[in-house]
Amino acid sequence: KGTKQKKFQGGPPTTLAATAILSLSQLLQTCYNFNFRSNLLQIIVRQANHRSCEEVRSSCCQALAAMFSKDVQGEASLEAVRRMSKMIKERQQHSGGRRGGIIVRPELLNTWLSLPLRVHEDEAMAAKLAAQAKAKKAKKSQRDKEMADIEKEMKEGEATVDKMELATNQAEI
């Protein structure tokens, strides 16, 4: 008959899977800025919280910490932190408030200490307000442009009506 897929039980990874994950963590350490970064981060973040294989977990955490320290622009770090926080929230929801089980490994949380947070809170707030003002200005200029287009069309419409009125008036004369 048909073949059924085995559901992943969360046990220790096979030798091939562990080798693949270790290779992916090395790739993240050396070259994190490429097209498939999202896919790579998804795997690395999930495996950085692996409960049964210490080697895989430590390699993934080291790769994340290295990426955090090397990322100058901060885009890859932001994406990784978002994925980590999403995973933590999902784990909390699936645990159902049970106590006793480790939802997140301490090694994973310790990678956040490698984040080079260079911006102070007041600078971040100023940047956020500047971005909001810029968006508001862009929205206003878009609205002004739309109004100018509408007014232009109305004038053209009025001019057409005036020409028609002129033609009917001249025909009556």
Side-chain angles (χ1 to χ4, degrees):
K1 295 187 179 186
T3 59
K4 292 184 178 179
Q5 284 186 335
K6 267 178 117 177
K7 189 173 181 181
F8 182 67
Q9 299 295 326
T14 64
T15 306
L16 180 62
T19 305
I21 294 168
L22 293 174
S23 300
L24 289 175
S25 65
Q26 286 296 317
L27 178 63
L28 184 67
Q29 282 183 4
T30 57
C31 184
Y32 61 87
N33 228 356
F34 66 100
N35 294 347
F36 296 104
R37 176 179 67 207
S38 297
N39 299 344
L40 184 62
L41 284 174
Q42 181 179 4
I43 294 167
I44 296 294
V45 166
R46 189 172 8 145
Q47 295 302 320
N49 197 37
H50 201 275
R51 61 178 160 222
S52 61
C53 188
E54 175 67 31
E55 183 182 8
V56 168
R57 183 173 57 238
S58 66
S59 176
C60 291
C61 289
Q62 288 173 0
L64 286 168
M67 183 196 69
F68 288 158
S69 62
K70 289 180 185 177
D71 189 16
V72 178
Q73 191 67 22
E75 291 177 5
S77 298
L78 178 63
E79 184 178 353
V81 168
R82 283 183 177 163
R83 288 192 180 275
M84 292 165 93
S85 64
K86 182 179 178 184
M87 181 191 66
I88 291 169
K89 288 177 185 176
E90 288 174 354
R91 297 274 171 126
Q92 284 177 334
Q93 289 174 353
H94 290 303
S95 70
R98 291 178 293 199
R99 299 255 179 201
I102 295 178
I103 297 173
V104 181
R105 299 282 168 186
E107 297 92 348
L108 181 64
L109 295 177
N110 285 336
T111 60
W112 284 354
L113 297 175
S114 301
L115 283 168
L117 300 176
R118 298 175 199 97
V119 179
H120 295 286
E121 186 178 354
D122 54 342
E123 292 174 348
M125 186 60 78
K128 186 176 180 180
L129 290 174
Q132 288 175 349
K134 186 177 179 181
K136 193 174 185 180
K137 185 177 179 182
K139 187 176 179 181
K140 183 179 178 185
S141 68
Q142 177 68 21
R143 189 173 55 229
D144 290 344
K145 184 180 177 185
E146 290 173 358
M147 290 299 291
D149 288 344
I150 291 171
E151 287 177 12
K152 183 180 176 185
E153 289 176 7
M154 292 295 288
K155 286 181 182 178
E156 287 175 0
E158 289 174 4
T160 305
V161 172
D162 289 342
K163 288 179 184 178
M164 291 174 68
E165 285 181 13
L166 180 62
T168 55
N169 289 341
Q170 287 180 355
E172 287 179 7
I173 297 177

